[in-house]
Amino acid sequence: NWLFWIPVQYFQFGYVEEPLQIPFLCVAGLAWTFILSALAGSVKSYNDSDKQEVEEELVVASAARPVTVPISTATMEEELVSAETLQL
């Protein structure tokens, strides 16, 4: 982190014109994101058992997803009556 941002800040304040400092930092932030992503991706090594564990986690996560249930075709009066009984 320090090895990247200290030189970037030094270059920004020393050599980049004021109107271009924000776009320069945006590009530097994008480069930093690529660096972090590449480093994080290279650390993980997947084998067959890891893939199986990930698939099992996806199945469990999809089973916990809420399911929408269609509402019955009750009249407005029946809905109001049921709402009133729930408040009691």
Side-chain angles (χ1 to χ4, degrees):
N1 196 14
W2 290 91
L3 293 175
F4 179 82
W5 286 109
I6 296 297
V8 166
Q9 293 291 316
Y10 176 78
F11 185 80
Q12 174 206 358
F13 288 115
Y15 301 106
V16 178
E17 296 178 15
E18 189 175 343
L20 298 175
Q21 286 184 359
I22 292 176
F24 174 77
L25 284 180
C26 289
V27 171
L30 185 62
W32 179 243
T33 302
F34 285 142
I35 291 169
L36 289 179
S37 179
L39 291 175
S42 66
V43 170
K44 293 183 179 180
S45 62
Y46 292 103
N47 57 27
D48 292 336
S49 64
D50 290 339
K51 289 179 184 178
Q52 173 116 9
E53 291 174 11
V54 171
E55 290 174 0
E56 290 173 359
E57 290 175 7
L58 290 174
V59 170
V60 171
S62 64
R65 186 173 12 150
V67 178
T68 56
V69 178
I71 300 174
S72 65
T73 56
T75 63
M76 199 58 127
E77 293 173 2
E78 291 174 351
E79 290 177 10
L80 287 175
V81 170
S82 64
E84 289 173 358
T85 56
L86 290 175
Q87 292 177 356
L88 296 175

